[in-house]
Amino acid sequence: IPSDHHPNICGRFKVMANLESHTTGLPQDGKAAPEEFGGVQLRVSIFPTVYGEKIVCRIFNPDAKVFDISKLGFDDETLSKFKELAAKPTGLILLTGPTGSGKTTAIYAAIGFILEKHGNAVAISSVEDPVEQNLDWVNQSSLNPARGYTYPSALRSLMRQDPEIIMVGEIRDEETAEIAINAGMTGHLVISTIHSGTTSGTFARLINMDIEPFLLASTIIGVLGVRLLRTNCMHCTAPYTPEAYALEQLRQFEGEEYLQALLDQQGFYKGNGCSACSDTGYGSRSSINELLVCDEGVREAVMQKKASRDIQTIAVGTGMRTLWTSGLQMVVDRKTTLEETLMKVAADQV
């Protein structure tokens, strides 16, 4: 696009998203739903740079969203455990993962499961920034930081609304964490997200926010780590040999015999690129996950402020299926590439 059009394009996005069109030196965020896009929604983020404004749009298609907990890509055992957690009357369920990894979708699916089970007999309220999808029978509220309507102020007010289930878009600070934990201790089921490098590292992140370990141990009932992997295009997938670094990491994690067996069986597949996938080699995306259920062993480790690696080991010992195991299974099933799994699952999570 010619650079001469830059000011006009920026101005058009600001008008579409109801932002301040005369402001150019400050970040702005908004939502747009252009009629010519057929109902598709845009999350617009504008950021000032030394060369002018940079605009990023996240695209949402509300009609394509199906919040079905059984279609999130969980294996049967993890799905059963997650349903058990979502059915509990009190406690705090946390979801962790990078931006755009499917955390909000998983929360919406959990709420859908609760509504399917109880109907509108259960009072559900949410505080989000912003509301991404309108849900039936859920009292949803969008933050407005410019007017002082933040997570802490919203949650304080919400507690007087007598909800049974509370969804918090994200735990960002100590104040929000304290209110969410207190809500989980006083007869509410709270579902929220938090940014943490690893699933087991969620406890360390909250302890660093000065939350007492005994509060975490008595309130958090489960932590779900989620990632989204691109899947191979079904039209052009074919055997391939992964790059040297990927093979070496697999050798370190799983051993020489495991690697050699996969190579002998032509166990690695990749999309070569075709018209169906716009020459990307990838079709859709699929979820991998790990569910850390806070049983007695995990709670004891949290109380003692043990390292995240130790908590991970305890959870795996009681049957937790890790992100690496789920991702590697997708590689073995020829659904994705080894490089894609290694890119989304860091070495310290293996």
Side-chain angles (χ1 to χ4, degrees), residues 64-75 79 83 105-106 109 228 285-287 289:
K65 292 282 186 180
V66 179
F67 300 116
D68 186 342
I69 198 169
S70 63
K71 295 181 179 178
L72 293 181
F74 291 6
D75 61 276
L79 177 61
K83 284 182 175 180
T105 300
L228 279 177
R285 293 189 297 174
S286 183
S287 168
N289 47 73

Side-chain angles (χ1 to χ4, degrees), residues 115-194:
L115 287 169
E116 185 180 318
K117 186 174 182 179
H118 299 287
N120 62 349
V122 62
I124 304 177
S125 296
S126 79
V127 182
E128 304 170 59
D129 184 25
V131 172
E132 292 187 6
Q133 183 81 28
N134 295 326
L135 301 176
D136 294 336
W137 304 112
V138 179
N139 303 295
Q140 295 173 278
S141 180
S142 284
L143 296 187
N144 189 347
R147 300 189 63 182
Y149 186 48
T150 60
Y151 277 125
S153 62
L155 286 172
R156 283 195 209 95
S157 179
L158 192 58
M159 294 298 287
R160 293 189 287 272
Q161 292 280 314
D162 195 30
E164 293 166 86
I165 296 167
I166 302 172
M167 170 191 168
V168 184
E170 183 183 350
I171 292 178
R172 297 174 178 168
D173 51 50
E174 179 184 345
E175 195 173 5
T176 307
E178 285 180 347
I179 298 172
I181 286 171
N182 286 333
M185 293 178 65
T186 54
H188 305 83
L189 178 66
V190 183
I191 308 176
S192 186
T193 71
I194 186 169

